[in-house]
Amino acid sequence: MNNTVQNLILIVDDNPTNVKVLFECLKSAGHRVLVAQTGESALEKVQLVSPDLILLDVMMPGINGFETCQHLKASQSTQDIPVVFMTALSDTEEKVKGFSVGAVDYITKPFQREEVLARVNTHLQLRNLTRKLEQLVSERTYELTATLEKLQDSQLQLIQNEKMSSLGNLVAGVAHEINNPIGFISGNLDQALIAVQDVIECLRLYQQEVPVRETIQKKITEVDLEYLIEDLPKMLNSMKIGCDRIREISTSLRTFSRSDTDDKVSADIHEGIDSTLMILSHRLKANETRPEIQIIKNYCSIPKVPCYLGQLNQVFMNILANAIDSFEEANQNSTYSEIVENPNVITISTATNHQQMIISIKDNGYGMAPGIKKRIFDHLYTTKPIGQGTGLGLSICKQIIESKHQGQLTVESELGKGSLFTIILPIV
């Protein structure tokens, strides 16, 4: 049997005559041959070189063939090497025991050349076929894994696009319904304020030029006219401020959900972060269990960045919302006064090195254990109770930053000491 790549066969036998016969037989058939005279020597050799087949004698000094085979099968590096025992024709008990410890076959003594080569070639062929099958399985497993990852990415992309599309449609409708009446009210308030000032001036002139009768004076006292004259412009100004606030919220909603998934646009990242904070402002305010969550902004002067701003805002939303959730978990065993002494703080910092923009979002909340931190970006992994978390948030965030923007999203966290999320985006 002449092979392009010669098979290596290890003969383990302390009988020189047996070794010589087998060596010449196998060598003439085109195999490479290695010899060991004891079980101990064989175990040492297989640590240095991996034979394709081992011919193992049963009776040897030191550890016998059965013990040697057991050692081979117990080691992960040698357990797949086929072992063929060499035994006398009448040793049925030894043959059975050989199979029980892991041998694949046996060769009877005295050796017959044709039998030796037939059994050796059969097991070498089986060995090679097994290797090819393992390789095919490995390749197919790799292909299936890659396909699964692509399917998961596609699923995340579909979910993300659907969420952004739904949010964009909702905001467009809300903005349309809000902006028209707000514009009408705001414009009329300006005119109303002017009209009220004119009416007040007329009242002042009447007070100066016309004598006030007793019934009129009684009504003036009853309605507290001086207070009304002073307070009515203030009320109108408050209404104007309220309209402006609603307009700001509407603008923030449009900025947050900007539907720009087809092409990148140059955008102000600070504007995106601020719009997200506006959306979350109701969760940042003080309540009966804790004071207001403090927001510290360490913004540097940064250029506009080509990005999908709507999707980036989704990343900011997920990270900031998780930080607020972390505070709620950390505050469970703290009193209001204790939280006042150690306030909940989210620090948002931006920096640039002319090639990249670095956005850091740090909180001093509950933090994460190492096991949770390791899996935090995994698909469908969530630490929230059933019905409260989908396991898609941070997984989608990582895809948005790394796949859509060719950036990086990392997290540093320690249980009880908060978390730091770092987003790196290429400027060009």
Side-chain angles (χ1 to χ4, degrees):
M1 180 178 177
N2 294 320
N3 300 319
T4 304
V5 178
Q6 291 180 313
N7 294 298
L8 177 62
I9 301 173
L10 173 62
I11 301 172
V12 187
D13 197 329
D14 64 326
N15 188 314
T17 303
N18 291 340
V19 170
K20 182 179 179 182
V21 171
L22 289 172
F23 187 92
E24 292 176 352
C25 175
L26 296 171
K27 198 73 174 176
S28 64
H31 300 294
R32 293 179 298 148
V33 182
L34 190 64
V35 176
Q37 294 183 332
T38 64
E40 291 87 349
S41 176
L43 294 175
E44 290 177 2
K45 290 181 185 296
V46 295
Q47 297 304 315
L48 302 174
V49 62
S50 180
D52 298 293
L53 182 70
I54 298 175
L55 300 180
L56 181 59
D57 189 28
V58 173
M59 302 304 296
M60 293 183 297
I63 62 173
N64 61 31
F66 299 129
E67 293 171 313
T68 303
C69 186
Q70 287 175 327
H71 282 293
L72 290 168
K73 296 304 174 182
S75 173
Q76 189 172 1
S77 62
T78 59
Q79 62 184 3
D80 294 329
I81 302 173
V83 175
V84 177
F85 273 118
M86 298 181 290
T87 184
L89 184 60
S90 60
D91 293 338
T92 303
E93 185 178 346
E94 291 184 351
K95 294 173 185 176
V96 173
K97 187 174 181 179
F99 287 127
S100 69
V101 296
V104 297
D105 204 350
Y106 60 88
I107 298 174
T108 57
K109 300 177 184 178
F111 302 123
Q112 298 295 323
R113 174 184 170 83
E114 291 76 12
E115 180 190 6
V116 170
L117 293 179
R119 292 183 184 274
V120 166
N121 290 339
T122 295
H123 290 292
L124 287 173
Q125 289 174 4
L126 288 173
R127 170 76 162 161
N128 291 333
L129 287 172
T130 301
R131 284 175 171 172
K132 288 180 180 178
L133 180 60
E134 289 173 349
Q135 183 178 356
L136 287 172
V137 170
S138 177
E139 291 173 356
R140 182 55 58 87
T141 301
Y142 176 81
E143 291 173 1
L144 290 173
T145 302
T147 301
L148 178 61
E149 290 176 352
K150 288 180 180 179
L151 286 172
Q152 289 178 339
D153 288 344
S154 298
Q155 181 188 25
L156 288 175
Q157 189 65 47
L158 286 171
I159 293 170
Q160 170 196 329
N161 290 344
E162 181 64 26
K163 286 175 68 176
M164 294 306 296
S165 175
S166 299
L167 184 57
N169 292 334
L170 173 64
V171 169
V174 170
H176 177 74
E177 294 298 326
I178 288 178
N179 284 342
N180 287 338
I182 285 300
F184 173 78
I185 293 170
S186 180
N188 279 282
L189 280 173
D190 290 333
Q191 295 303 315
L193 192 58
I194 295 172
V196 165
Q197 293 294 346
D198 291 340
V199 170
I200 290 173
E201 289 179 8
C202 289
L203 281 174
R204 294 300 187 195
L205 283 173
Y206 268 107
Q207 287 177 323
Q208 293 172 11
E209 302 296 334
V210 179
V212 179
R213 294 184 178 182
E214 183 179 348
T215 54
I216 297 175
Q217 184 60 52
K218 183 179 179 181
K219 190 65 177 177
I220 289 174
T221 304
E222 182 181 327
V223 300
D224 197 352
L225 183 61
E226 290 301 321
Y227 172 78
L228 289 178
I229 290 173
E230 181 182 351
D231 198 54
L232 186 55
K234 293 180 180 178
M235 286 190 289
L236 292 173
N237 277 321
S238 296
M239 293 178 192
K240 185 69 167 60
I241 292 170
C243 287
D244 292 341
R245 175 68 172 172
I246 294 172
R247 198 189 298 274
E248 287 175 6
I249 293 172
S250 176
T251 301
S252 295
L253 281 169
R254 291 199 305 274
T255 301
F256 172 78
S257 63
R258 185 177 298 172
S259 180
D260 50 16
T261 54
D262 293 333
D263 297 293
K264 289 182 179 179
V265 295
S266 292
D268 184 346
I269 298 299
H270 291 162
E271 183 182 287
I273 296 172
D274 291 341
S275 71
T276 306
L277 289 171
M278 173 75 77
I279 304 301
L280 287 170
S281 60
H282 69 287
R283 294 197 63 193
L284 299 171
K285 293 177 181 177
N287 57 39
E288 65 278 3
T289 61
R290 61 157 176 81
E292 181 181 16
I293 296 173
Q294 298 178 19
I295 300 294
I296 298 175
K297 299 178 185 177
N298 296 324
Y299 289 173
C300 75
S301 178
I302 57 174
K304 290 189 174 182
V305 177
C307 64
Y308 303 99
L309 184 59
Q311 296 184 26
L312 274 186
N313 290 339
Q314 187 179 354
V315 174
F316 301 147
M317 173 66 80
N318 271 301
I319 294 175
L320 289 167
N322 283 340
I324 297 171
D325 291 341
S326 176
F327 289 136
E328 292 178 355
E329 188 174 1
N331 293 338
Q332 286 179 353
N333 298 319
S334 301
T335 63
Y336 196 99
S337 58
E338 287 174 340
I339 301 172
V340 170
E341 294 177 4
N342 297 286
N344 301 148
V345 180
I346 297 175
T347 304
I348 306 171
S349 306
T350 58
T352 178
N353 59 10
H354 304 295
Q355 293 182 342
Q356 296 174 320
M357 178 178 296
I358 299 97
I359 305 155
S360 301
I361 301 176
K362 186 179 188 304
D363 68 73
N364 61 342
Y366 195 70
M368 289 178 273
I372 294 176
K373 175 187 166 187
K374 185 177 180 181
R375 299 187 59 195
I376 199 68
F377 295 115
D378 287 358
H379 180 60
L380 299 180
Y381 178 74
T382 179
T383 60
K384 293 182 172 66
I386 295 174
Q388 294 185 24
T390 63
L392 296 174
L394 289 176
S395 180
I396 289 178
C397 289
K398 195 168 185 68
Q399 185 189 47
I400 290 172
I401 298 300
E402 298 188 355
S403 298
K404 299 285 288 186
H405 290 86
Q406 292 74 53
Q408 296 177 40
L409 174 60
T410 60
V411 61
E412 297 175 22
S413 185
E414 188 175 345
L415 196 61
K417 296 187 177 180
S419 302
L420 167 64
F421 285 86
T422 302
I423 301 166
I424 299 177
L425 297 173
I427 291 178
V428 181

